[in-house]
Amino acid sequence: MESKDQNVYRKGSDNFSKGSNTFFGNLKSISTTNTEPQVSKVAENNISDDNPSTDSNSTTPVKPKTFVDGALRGVWSIGVGVVNGAKGIVEQPYLGAKNNGLGGFVKGVAKGVSGVVILPAVGVLEFFSYTTQGIYNTPITVLDAMKSSPKEEEMITVSAETPTIFFAVDLEESFKTAKEKGIPHLIKVCIEFISRRKNVEGIFRISGSKSLIDEIQSKFDKGLITSIEDLDPNWIYEVACIFKSYFRYLPHSVIPDEQITEFYRIQNNITNATEKAAALKATVNSIPNFQYTILYECLSLLHDISLNSKENLMTPSNLSIVYGPSLLRPNIEKGDIQEIANANTIVFNLISFFPQIFIKSPDSSVLEIEHAVTPIKPMIQK
């Protein structure tokens, strides 16, 4: 059940979207020809239960869910406005003359000329409106995605019958135990396994078989899996689930508390993209060498997966929803929408702009994993 604040936030989002769409729909109608009285398309969307542009559970027009979604809709609206404006110069006089003779022709010319100005201008205004809606709706989208995702407790269980090597064990202690037993760490094996299958659709999103996940986890914790040869090539969803669950079950995040606090400060207080990039880079490179290496290897994998999002459908945004809570530890139990959104945005930037932020080489002796060269992007998202 949602809190009162969440309900108020969601209603505000619905009203903002409905009001914006109605306003811009009315503006567009000024430069369009209506051969007979009719309700505007936006108004129809608001009252028709069967209209495909409305949510199945409400009469509110479908809203941009994220900043990227809103920006793309805005760009599309600008393009449509320019095309329709140019088209109206020819179409409006013709339709006017056809229906009402000379008088209709004159009115059509007026509407066509006004459309050249009004429709592109409305498109620009809609761009800002959709982008703003997307920013406003991002926390809601994040919260809904987290609610609908499989519960970690349902996907994997930690047995207390025998001492475990990896799960629910402090990160440094698990590495120490693995070295004492002469076996590779779970992180190393999972990264090598997943990196060979990074094009698989739905990786980290599809949970896999719970019984098989429990079996694989048990083998990891007993030291029975020592290389990727011990894993069936078809276990991609199960191994991916174990990998993300491992970080969720760590007693403490791989990122130290000091750096987590600084990440949140950066997200809350710095809006300039260049300054934010520099601050994130400085904070990442202040992480102690051991934790930095683990974080480097994990985010390097996620960055590579995101580069193949056309095939695996896992964009930086999708991956950040999976790993944001595990790495930044927001207060999920209290349902703090803004903190959850901030955590996911931070991880989104760490994944998207990995090459620019992680400039320090990792300690190869920790995991001993080969590194792939990845392309560098010029900017960082605000």
Side-chain angles (χ1 to χ4, degrees):
M1 182 178 293
E2 293 190 342
S3 67
K4 182 178 179 181
D5 289 342
Q6 292 173 26
N7 279 325
V8 171
Y9 193 94
R10 194 180 294 275
K11 287 180 180 178
S13 170
D14 291 341
N15 291 334
F16 180 28
S17 177
K18 181 177 178 180
S20 297
N21 283 285
T22 301
F23 174 72
F24 290 120
N26 290 335
L27 277 181
K28 290 177 184 177
S29 68
I30 296 174
S31 300
T32 58
T33 298
N34 295 318
T35 57
E36 57 185 64
Q38 59 182 356
V39 182
S40 71
K41 290 183 178 180
V42 174
E44 288 178 356
N45 288 346
N46 288 339
I47 63 175
S48 174
D49 293 333
D50 299 313
N51 194 296
S53 66
T54 59
D55 294 328
S56 60
N57 297 324
S58 73
T59 56
T60 305
V62 174
K63 307 168 293 186
K65 293 183 178 180
T66 64
F67 165 78
V68 175
D69 185 18
L72 289 175
R73 291 194 193 194
V75 171
W76 173 262
S77 182
I78 293 175
V80 170
V82 171
V83 171
N84 286 343
K87 179 174 145 184
I89 294 180
V90 176
E91 187 178 71
Q92 300 289 13
Y94 169 75
L95 292 176
K98 180 180 178 182
N99 295 321
N100 299 302
L102 181 60
F105 175 80
V106 173
K107 290 181 180 180
V109 170
K111 278 203 169 189
V113 173
S114 67
V116 173
V117 178
I118 293 176
L119 294 178
V122 171
V124 173
L125 292 174
E126 280 192 313
F127 171 81
F128 290 107
S129 174
Y130 280 133
T131 302
T132 303
Q133 289 180 53
I135 294 172
Y136 192 89
N137 294 332
T138 295
I140 296 175
T141 302
V142 169
L143 193 63
D144 288 344
M146 295 184 68
K147 286 179 178 178
S148 61
S149 64
K151 301 290 185 183
E152 294 291 347
E153 292 77 13
E154 295 175 358
M155 293 191 291
I156 195 163
T157 55
V158 179
S159 173
E161 295 178 359
T162 57
T164 63
I165 299 175
F166 300 117
F167 277 85
V169 177
D170 181 77
L171 185 65
E172 293 192 49
E173 183 182 338
S174 69
F175 268 88
K176 179 181 177 181
T177 303
K179 288 184 178 181
E180 289 176 351
K181 292 182 176 292
I183 60 175
H185 198 277
L186 174 149
I187 293 176
K188 171 179 167 59
V189 177
C190 287
I191 287 179
E192 290 184 352
F193 181 87
I194 295 170
S195 64
R196 300 187 182 192
R197 297 161 179 84
K198 56 193 175 187
N199 294 334
V200 176
E201 182 178 334
I203 186 170
F204 292 125
R205 179 172 55 82
I206 299 175
S207 300
S209 165
K210 182 183 184 304
S211 60
L212 186 53
I213 289 170
D214 289 342
E215 178 185 340
I216 298 171
Q217 180 212 314
S218 178
K219 288 183 177 181
F220 265 119
D221 268 334
K222 292 177 181 177
L224 300 179
I225 297 178
T226 59
S227 74
I228 60 174
E229 303 301 323
D230 296 323
L231 297 169
D232 188 303
N234 296 317
W235 290 350
I236 179 60
Y237 296 125
E238 287 77 13
V239 174
C241 179
I242 286 174
F243 185 70
K244 68 181 182 181
S245 296
Y246 174 75
F247 290 99
R248 176 65 58 85
Y249 278 106
L250 276 176
H252 305 285
S253 171
V254 64
I255 303 175
D257 290 343
E258 179 182 349
Q259 278 76 21
I260 288 179
T261 300
E262 181 61 14
F263 279 137
Y264 280 123
R265 186 197 69 79
I266 292 169
Q267 182 60 30
N268 287 323
N269 298 309
I270 301 179
T271 56
N272 179 272
T274 302
E275 293 178 7
K276 179 174 285 190
L280 288 174
K281 181 168 66 175
T283 302
V284 164
N285 289 282
S286 71
I287 296 174
N289 188 56
F290 173 75
Q291 288 93 334
Y292 174 87
T293 297
I294 304 301
L295 188 64
Y296 181 103
E297 300 293 358
C298 294
L299 288 174
S300 176
L301 173 66
L302 298 182
H303 177 70
D304 287 343
I305 288 173
S306 72
L307 295 179
N308 292 275
S309 62
K310 287 186 178 179
E311 296 178 62
N312 59 41
L313 306 182
M314 293 303 289
T315 63
S317 178
N318 293 335
L319 291 168
S320 71
I321 290 173
V322 175
Y323 284 91
S326 297
L327 297 178
L328 276 300
R329 304 293 171 98
N331 198 332
I332 296 177
E333 291 183 0
K334 289 187 177 180
D336 190 330
I337 297 177
Q338 189 58 56
E339 188 172 338
I340 294 170
N342 285 344
N344 293 341
T345 300
I346 293 165
V347 173
F348 170 88
N349 282 322
L350 295 181
I351 294 172
S352 298
F353 307 97
F354 172 83
Q356 299 96 325
I357 294 175
F358 287 79
I359 58 173
K360 185 173 67 174
S361 297
D363 184 348
S364 60
S365 66
V366 176
L367 287 176
E368 300 178 350
I369 295 176
E370 296 292 330
H371 305 295
V373 177
T374 51
I376 296 180
K377 297 181 183 180
M379 291 185 66
I380 190 165
Q381 175 174 312
K382 291 186 180 181

